[in-house]
Amino acid sequence: MRKINEIFYSLQGEGAHTGTPAVFVRFSGCNLKCSFCDTLHESGVEMTDEAIVKEVCKYPCRMVILTGGEPGLWIDDAFIGLLHKAGKYVAIETNGTQVLPEAIDWVTCSPKEGVKLHVKRIDEVKVVYTGQDVSPYLLIEAKEHFLQPCSCRNTEEVIAYIKAHPQWRLSLQTHKLINIR
């Protein structure tokens, strides 16, 4: 059984897959408590793997995004295997503190200051920028490095930072800008 906050169909609003239709499987619970997190960790329902996959398969897209909370607390190889068997491309949004199943297709890691990473592969680093020193995150080997304004509040500051540090790319929360889930 896995604790699910919600499952919904929308467009990916952040990072490398922005604009891609996806089913979001939002897990409850996290081992970190970030002030800007948009998940209600205490709510959720227990679901079997089969029930989750059945719900995911109600939607016409191929991409599934495991998010949270911290989905790494809840997933394993068997669950990822069921999603792949259903023909899904599995992406995850993680804080990087948990060892993840290797078969995940795309790993987005949002590392937090002072937290040790345990992920073996990262496809994109996405850092919510609040004025902190983000230079150490460029040392993380990944295909993409994104800086993201915190809930669209400091966009101009992030743009200025990226212009001065062009190793970064801008990630906007487009779902918030266009008012979709």
Side-chain angles (χ1 to χ4, degrees):
M1 298 293 277
R2 304 183 195 284
K3 190 172 181 184
I4 303 298
N5 182 279
E6 63 180 333
I7 298 174
F8 64 96
Y9 182 50
S10 190
L11 301 179
Q12 172 58 293
E14 307 170 353
H17 291 105
T18 295
T20 304
V23 178
F24 291 81
V25 179
R26 184 180 302 277
F27 291 85
S28 293
C30 187
N31 56 329
L32 303 178
K33 298 297 179 210
C34 301
S35 61
F36 50 81
C37 185
D38 57 2
T39 300
L40 299 170
H41 295 287
E42 38 310 313
S43 64
V45 296
E46 297 282 328
M47 293 179 73
T48 65
D49 291 353
E50 294 75 17
I52 295 167
V53 172
K54 183 177 179 182
E55 184 67 23
V56 163
C57 288
K58 289 180 179 178
Y59 303 101
C61 70
R62 185 165 178 256
M63 181 175 274
V64 174
I65 299 174
L66 309 178
T67 189
E70 175 48 49
L73 296 169
W74 295 97
I75 62 171
D76 56 24
D77 289 315
F79 178 65
I80 302 304
L82 283 175
L83 289 167
H84 281 152
K85 187 176 177 183
K88 301 303 180 184
Y89 178 91
V90 181
I92 189 168
E93 296 176 347
T94 178
N95 61 28
T97 61
Q98 305 299 308
V99 175
L100 300 176
E102 291 185 24
I104 294 172
D105 299 299
W106 186 267
V107 178
T108 299
C109 181
S110 293
K112 307 302 184 270
E113 195 170 0
V115 176
K116 185 174 176 157
L117 298 180
H118 293 282
V119 290
K120 294 182 179 174
R121 184 190 97 241
I122 298 172
D123 295 295
E124 77 179 299
V125 172
K126 184 178 52 117
V127 178
V128 175
Y129 187 68
T130 58
Q132 75 274 37
D133 177 14
V134 295
S135 59
Y137 302 126
L138 287 172
L139 301 175
I140 299 171
E141 188 176 326
K143 296 172 187 160
E144 307 279 354
H145 287 80
F146 289 97
L147 273 189
Q148 181 170 292
C150 186
S151 297
C152 305
R153 292 189 303 261
N154 58 338
T155 303
E156 289 182 21
E157 179 184 7
V158 173
I159 290 169
Y161 187 90
I162 292 171
K163 287 170 76 175
H165 304 88
Q167 307 91 325
W168 291 99
R169 289 181 57 196
L170 178 65
S171 173
L172 296 174
Q173 293 178 298
T174 57
H175 55 291
K176 289 184 179 182
L177 295 172
I178 62 175
N179 200 28
I180 62 171
R181 284 180 86 184

